[in-house]
Amino acid sequence: MDRTVSLTERTTVTGERPLESPEVERHIHGSTTEDRMLLFGAAVSSLSVVWLLWTQLLPTTGIAGFLVLWLLAFWALYWVVCRATLGRLPARDRVATTVVTLGTAMLLVPLMLILLFVFGRGVAALKPDFFTRDLSLTGTLDAGGGLAHALVGTLQQVSLAVVISVPLGVLTAVFLNEVGGPLRRPVRMFIDAMSGVPSIVAGLFIYAVWIVQFGFSFSGFAAAMALSVLMLPTIARTSEEVLRLVPDGLREASLALGSTEFRTVWSVVLPTARSGLITAVVLGVARVVGETAPLIMTSFGSTAMNANPFAGAQASLPLSVYQLLTNPFAAQQERAYGGAFVLVFIVLLLFSIARYLGRTRTGSSRVRRFARRRS
């Protein structure tokens, strides 16, 4: 009877070593000179062919169609060349890499244009007075003045919104992930519904309840309540996802030592997820710091400094930018673009902090250096 002998059995029976395939060096990260030459050659070749077809042989004009045809020809030629030299799987990987890179560049271009436009229009207004003075004594045509009152209003309103929404959001996440029960599904459904609520609806809700029904005046606290309505679902959903990442072994070990469920959540789960919860808070702040619609009918806006968020109308950066930008005079629009630049900078700073806090830490530099020496 014929029997197939494996390589291990052949080595054991006959003492012969199996034939080993030669090791092939595979570059997982980065690119080699060959990869760059293939990419450059495919780009130049496809550009030459498409230029010849588009300008000499086909009755077509227009830069948009030329670029689309060039991209299609480049991807096809690049895939053929990579498949002939590297194989089918590396060819797919190379083409997918170029597609992702192009998509990233197409997203970065409008972002950079927006940043350059806002910076170019608002850099003239970024003077020391811009951060120390308000507009109470500044005329429509006068130069100078600043948005110090708007900066103070934004800081106070966002801080109050954080105080309101962070405990509620974290408690909601703890209930959804740690407690559960028959109310878990309805609560999650309401959180999902609140995530899609337009910001103007939150402002209308606070205006109808707090100002019309209860008779309170426009104030920064009313704006903070509207912002907390928008911030709450972001913090709750992000915190829930962070709590899911805490290993179940930590909970089981704490319960096995005799701790109660409350003690386990308070002393084990929440400290373990501290960095992720901070990231959730930063993302929630970045979500609402640029909102304008809910502030129109809650804080109403002002040109003078109001450091008391519980009494009287109060300014904020988004609302002041909106009100100044609708003014036809150049001095007011210059202040508006200056406020827009400060607001964009704050949002980018918050997202950068969230990115830094949320990145994965897989060991210290000493461990990584030791692993590299061993490899």
Side-chain angles (χ1 to χ4, degrees):
M1 178 181 296
D2 296 334
R3 186 170 68 90
T4 303
V5 181
S6 64
L7 294 178
T8 305
E9 293 174 347
R10 185 184 306 172
T11 304
T12 304
V13 175
T14 63
E16 298 177 0
R17 295 194 58 181
L19 296 178
E20 297 179 356
S21 58
E23 295 183 358
V24 179
E25 183 180 2
R26 297 180 181 272
H27 297 274
I28 305 300
H29 302 287
S31 60
T32 62
T33 304
E34 181 183 1
D35 296 335
R36 291 190 288 268
M37 293 299 295
L38 289 177
L39 180 64
F40 178 76
V44 173
S45 301
S46 59
L47 178 63
S48 303
V49 173
V50 171
W51 178 83
L52 180 62
L53 292 175
W54 193 263
T55 59
Q56 304 297 327
L57 302 180
L58 299 178
T60 52
T61 57
I63 187 64
F66 174 79
L67 292 177
V68 172
L69 186 59
W70 178 31
L71 284 176
L72 296 177
F74 164 71
W75 284 327
L77 181 60
Y78 190 48
W79 183 81
V80 171
V81 173
C82 290
R83 181 182 178 183
T85 56
L86 302 175
R88 182 188 298 270
L89 187 60
R92 293 179 180 177
D93 179 71
R94 299 297 191 279
V95 174
T97 301
T98 58
V99 174
V100 173
T101 304
L102 179 63
T104 304
M106 293 177 64
L107 290 176
L108 288 177
V109 167
L111 176 61
M112 296 304 299
L113 291 177
I114 293 174
L115 294 178
L116 291 176
F117 174 77
V118 174
F119 177 76
R121 295 291 299 271
V123 67
L126 298 180
K127 301 175 182 178
D129 291 345
F130 184 85
F131 302 97
T132 58
R133 295 178 55 187
D134 57 19
L135 298 178
S136 59
L137 301 178
T138 304
T140 305
L141 301 178
D142 296 339
L147 297 181
H149 59 301
L151 288 171
V152 172
T154 296
L155 292 176
Q156 291 182 346
Q157 294 167 18
V158 173
S159 299
L160 289 173
V162 169
V163 172
I164 296 172
S165 59
V166 168
L168 295 176
V170 175
L171 288 176
T172 303
V174 170
F175 171 77
L176 293 176
N177 192 73
E178 305 295 332
V179 180
L183 294 179
R184 174 185 293 179
R185 186 182 298 272
V187 170
R188 182 174 285 112
M189 182 186 66
F190 282 117
I191 292 295
D192 293 338
M194 290 179 62
S195 301
V197 170
S199 58
I200 188 67
V201 176
L204 286 172
F205 171 73
I206 299 299
Y207 173 79
V209 175
W210 185 256
I211 297 177
V212 176
Q213 189 68 28
F214 292 161
F216 293 97
S217 63
F218 296 102
S219 62
F221 181 69
M225 289 191 292
L227 295 179
S228 65
V229 173
L230 300 174
M231 189 187 300
L232 179 60
T234 301
I235 296 178
R237 290 303 303 272
T238 308
S239 300
E240 181 187 2
E241 296 298 329
V242 169
L243 294 179
R244 287 181 180 178
L245 299 178
V246 177
D248 292 334
L250 297 178
R251 300 181 179 89
E252 296 171 357
S254 177
L255 295 174
L257 292 174
S259 297
T260 61
E261 187 175 0
F262 172 79
R263 185 75 175 180
T264 299
V265 172
W266 181 260
S267 302
V268 177
V269 177
L270 293 180
T272 304
R274 183 185 294 117
S275 61
L277 296 177
I278 295 175
T279 304
V281 175
V282 174
L283 290 177
V285 172
R287 163 69 176 82
V288 302
V289 71
E291 290 291 343
T292 305
L295 306 181
I296 297 176
M297 55 199 69
T298 53
S299 65
F300 195 71
S302 175
T303 58
M305 176 69 73
N306 179 15
N308 185 6
F310 299 97
Q314 190 179 48
S316 60
L317 269 179
L319 186 56
S320 297
V321 169
Y322 169 74
Q323 293 173 343
L324 292 174
L325 196 59
T326 55
N327 196 296
F329 298 100
Q332 300 287 61
Q333 293 186 0
E334 181 178 300
R335 299 187 188 100
Y337 281 108
F341 175 76
V342 174
L343 191 60
V344 170
F345 177 78
I346 292 174
V347 173
L348 290 178
L349 179 63
L350 290 174
F351 274 111
S352 299
I353 294 175
R355 178 67 177 175
Y356 174 77
L357 295 176
R359 68 180 184 177
T360 303
R361 293 175 174 86
T362 58
S364 63
S365 58
R366 182 181 301 177
V367 174
R368 289 194 293 268
R369 287 197 300 266
F370 177 75
R372 284 197 296 267
R373 287 198 300 267
R374 291 296 300 272
S375 60

